[in-house]
Amino acid sequence: MTCGMCKHCVPLDICGGDCECKAREIEVSEDDDTRFYGEDNEPCELFVTA
């Protein structure tokens, strides 16, 4: 699972494929693994598919 599949991920239309995570108010890469943002290598608890 990657951040780009989450409904909180909004494309920023800048080079590099970055998105804004509306849940965390941070910039993420849409191909970031959701475990990168979770605790103890668990998937991100804010991940929600559209």
Side-chain angles (χ1 to χ4, degrees), residues 6-10 20-26 44-48:
C6 179
K7 75 173 188 178
H8 296 299
C9 198
V10 179
E20 181 178 356
C21 174
K22 293 295 189 182
R24 293 189 185 272
E25 305 276 321
I26 58 171
C44 174
E45 69 277 7
L46 299 174
F47 183 86
V48 183

Side-chain angles (χ1 to χ4, degrees), residues 12-38:
L12 290 175
D13 294 326
I14 55 176
C15 54
D18 285 341
C19 292
E20 181 178 356
C21 174
K22 293 295 189 182
R24 293 189 185 272
E25 305 276 321
I26 58 171
E27 282 185 34
V28 299
S29 184
E30 67 181 330
D31 59 357
D32 280 346
D33 192 297
T34 59
R35 286 175 300 203
F36 185 77
Y37 297 101

Side-chain angles (χ1 to χ4, degrees), residues 33 35-36 38-43:
D33 192 297
R35 286 175 300 203
F36 185 77
E39 302 210 8
D40 298 324
N41 213 30
E42 291 292 314

